[in-house]
Structures are given as structure tokens and as C-alpha cells.
Amino acid sequence: MIDLNTSTADERDIVAALKGHGFEIVRYREERGRFTSLQQLDEVPGLSGKTDGISDHVTIAAS
């Protein structure tokens, strides 16, 4: 499992649904703060509607 709040762009690119979007996810997190739900991935440029089934591969740490 890859944590959206601590993983690097390269680590995120390992997940097929996120491949090529790791940098945008990091930038989103830096601009808006930590992720609190997986649904926020739909707000990342280029990912809207492309994250079905992502919960099998990524998580969000509580702290």
C-alpha cells in the first residue's frame, strides 16, 4: 500500500491508475494540504474519473 500523504511521485507512479500523475499529486498535496479522503484524487488535474479501484493500492495515513 502506498500512502498518498507520505509517498514520493515515483512511488505513486508504480500504481497503474496513478502512473504519470505522481508529480501532480505531490503538487496538489503541497498546495492544499494532506489528503483526507481518496475521493480528493478526482480533484487532481488529469485524474478525475480515473481512480476506480484505487483503494486496493493506496491509503491515507491518519496522522
Side-chain angles (χ1 to χ4, degrees):
M1 292 290 267
I2 294 174
D3 185 338
L4 287 178
N5 287 320
T6 60
S7 59
T8 66
D10 290 336
E11 290 171 327
R12 288 185 187 108
D13 281 344
I14 294 170
V15 178
L18 303 180
K19 187 161 181 71
H21 297 283
F23 175 78
E24 290 294 333
I25 295 169
V26 169
R27 188 170 76 176
Y28 178 94
R29 186 181 70 201
E30 289 173 350
E31 291 175 354
R32 300 185 185 196
R34 298 174 59 83
F35 285 90
T36 57
S37 74
L38 293 178
Q39 289 77 18
Q40 286 177 285
L41 283 172
D42 284 336
E43 298 172 14
V44 175
L47 283 180
S48 182
K50 298 180 182 177
T51 59
D52 291 340
I54 198 79
S55 62
D56 294 339
H57 307 284
V58 298
T59 188
I60 297 172
S63 59

